[in-house]
Amino acid sequence: MTDIVYRQLTLEECERINEMNPSQYIGKAWREVDGKRQLVEINYHDTDWPNGYEHHLTHLKRTILDGGSAIGVFDSKDKLLGFATVDRAFFGNKFNYVLLDQLFITLEHRNKGIGKKLFMLSAKAAKAWDTDKLYICAGSAEETVAFYFAIGCKEAEEIKKELYESDPRDFQLEFPLSLVND
């Protein structure tokens, strides 16, 4: 796509996430069945933000106020097409992790490489903080998990208990920032 601009979001721009269409049809999702993770058919259409608009707006604002990274992507008419946030708080015992808290692309612009570019820009920002790895709580939808694995994520070596317990169906993933070019 041409005329796409990636840049840091400001606090004043946070409410612009309402310009996006967050809906997602989930045909299959990963679920625990008989003690084993398997793809199961769920045929679910989520028409809203996964945890509600206010949750995502609040988290976006908090990330910016706490010095994290919040990158937006805009089209030639300055419409917000997507955003990604990385929280600045470090955690982990063996590795220095930071959380990729949010990554959303509006429905009409998915599968065009925007998410991958946003992810890599976010990883680059995190690497500048002397972080070892991004930590991702990936939703269990088949396409979501496939996206993260395709860009080089793998299951996390260390699990952050609070994040896992907030939704045990999520995939706890990591991305080594050594893979990011300076």
Side-chain angles (χ1 to χ4, degrees):
M1 289 185 69
T2 57
D3 299 326
I4 297 289
V5 174
Y6 296 83
R7 63 173 172 77
Q8 290 293 320
L9 288 170
T10 66
L11 195 57
E12 297 74 34
E13 294 176 307
C14 289
E15 292 194 13
R16 292 188 63 187
I17 67 172
N18 68 14
E19 297 173 14
M20 296 173 52
N21 179 353
S23 68
Q24 179 180 13
Y25 171 75
I26 304 169
K28 293 182 179 180
W30 292 94
R31 295 290 185 263
E32 196 82 19
V33 179
D34 299 326
K36 187 175 152 192
R37 194 179 276 174
Q38 301 176 40
L39 266 179
V40 299
E41 203 160 311
I42 63 170
N43 291 317
Y44 175 70
H45 187 206
D46 195 354
T47 59
D48 201 358
W49 295 91
N51 299 307
Y53 171 79
E54 286 301 322
H55 170 87
H56 294 281
L57 178 63
T58 300
H59 277 242
L60 173 57
K61 287 179 177 179
R62 188 196 70 223
T63 296
I64 293 171
L65 289 170
D66 291 347
S69 172
I71 302 170
V73 57
F74 298 85
D75 69 10
S76 60
K77 294 179 179 146
D78 199 39
K79 182 179 188 289
L80 183 65
L81 304 179
F83 72 99
T85 64
V86 180
D87 291 347
R88 190 77 185 242
F90 296 96
F91 61 92
N93 296 317
K94 187 175 174 188
F95 300 101
N96 223 3
Y97 288 95
V98 289
L99 177 66
L100 177 79
D101 189 38
Q102 302 190 74
L103 175 61
F104 287 98
I105 309 300
T106 192
L107 178 64
E108 303 78 19
H109 289 281
R110 292 183 192 147
N111 300 310
K112 297 180 180 179
I114 293 171
K116 180 178 181 181
K117 172 98 175 178
L118 265 178
F119 180 90
M120 291 305 172
L121 289 170
S122 297
K124 192 171 187 175
K127 185 176 182 178
W129 305 335
D130 289 328
T131 307
D132 299 318
K133 300 180 181 197
L134 277 181
Y135 191 95
I136 302 106
C137 299
S140 60
E142 179 180 25
E143 295 84 0
T144 301
V145 174
F147 165 79
Y148 285 112
F149 280 126
I151 58 177
C153 295
K154 61 178 187 160
E155 294 207 39
E157 288 185 51
E158 291 183 55
I159 302 297
K160 185 163 171 96
K161 186 179 178 188
E162 308 86 75
L163 294 173
Y164 171 77
E165 289 175 350
S166 70
D167 191 344
R169 295 177 302 182
D170 283 353
F171 268 67
Q172 306 300 304
L173 303 175
E174 67 181 29
F175 181 81
L177 295 173
S178 59
L179 298 177
V180 177
N181 296 325
D182 291 326

